[in-house]
Amino acid sequence: MDKVYLTRLKELYAMEKEQAQLLPVLLRYTTNKELRAAIKEHWYDTQRHFSRCIEIMRRYGDANVTASVSEPMKKLLEEAHALVLQGNEEHAANLTMILQKIEHLEIASYSSAIMCAKILGYKSDGVILQKSLDEEYDQDNRLEKISEEIFMALV
């Protein structure tokens, strides 16, 4: 079970690392003020989440991690990157929805890791992971509101 748990942690690490690289690009090319503010906040959250993953993995002697994101996450990250580079403001609604899909994958991944931590009795890990999960939920809710506002303005 420890191996399954470490696999979940490595997935989280890889997701957060990839997002830490993508979010500044999205920030640079996104003009919608609310979406920019959400991306900027999520970038800061992502950096904290990444640090938390490293902190937990160090406890298990696995701080030098090589991991790759899942194919679904990779596709969503690529789609977000390509969409924002097109520079069309009408794509802001699509971008927020893609970012929500990314959040949903992260939420599922954090939930799985927390379940493993609980079963294994790693209470402090569960607390740390729960902080990140709560922040992911907050970001998802914020993106949903922004997405709705952008979409309604287009209708």
Side-chain angles (χ1 to χ4, degrees):
M1 189 63 175
D2 279 338
K3 191 172 184 177
V4 172
Y5 177 55
L6 286 175
T7 300
R8 300 290 72 82
L9 291 174
K10 287 178 182 182
E11 287 175 350
L12 289 169
Y13 168 90
M15 282 192 280
E16 298 296 0
K17 183 178 180 180
E18 289 294 319
Q19 278 194 85
Q21 294 170 353
L22 174 67
L23 291 170
V25 173
L26 298 183
L27 190 59
R28 193 173 319 126
Y29 291 100
T30 300
T31 58
N32 180 284
K33 288 181 183 181
E34 289 183 58
L35 184 53
R36 282 182 55 79
I39 291 170
K40 189 173 188 176
E41 182 181 321
H42 193 58
W43 186 22
Y44 295 133
D45 286 346
T46 297
Q47 292 168 346
R48 278 195 311 273
H49 300 172
F50 184 70
S51 294
R52 288 174 187 157
C53 288
I54 292 172
E55 175 188 338
I56 293 170
M57 287 186 290
R58 280 189 179 141
R59 293 182 198 167
Y60 306 104
D62 212 352
N64 297 324
V65 178
T66 55
S68 59
V69 296
S70 66
E71 282 301 312
M73 179 61 87
K74 185 184 289 186
K75 294 289 184 192
L76 287 170
L77 294 169
E78 289 170 1
E79 189 176 349
H81 189 263
L83 191 62
V84 77
L85 290 179
Q86 292 175 7
N88 186 338
E89 191 58 32
E90 290 180 9
H91 294 306
N94 284 328
L95 180 60
T96 58
M97 292 176 195
I98 292 167
L99 291 173
Q100 276 188 277
K101 289 178 185 180
I102 291 170
E103 291 305 312
H104 296 170
L105 279 174
E106 286 184 300
I107 288 167
S109 297
Y110 274 104
S111 295
S112 296
I114 290 167
M115 182 212 40
C116 289
K118 284 180 182 177
I119 290 170
L120 293 169
Y122 301 151
K123 195 172 191 170
S124 62
D125 290 4
V127 170
I128 292 168
L129 293 167
Q130 186 65 51
K131 287 178 190 175
S132 294
L133 177 61
D134 292 343
E135 291 166 357
E136 297 293 356
Y137 273 120
D138 289 345
Q139 185 67 11
D140 180 52
N141 291 332
R142 184 174 186 182
L143 285 168
E144 185 174 347
K145 289 176 187 170
I146 293 169
S147 180
E148 185 176 321
E149 289 171 9
I150 292 170
F151 191 74
M152 290 301 290
L154 294 173
V155 175

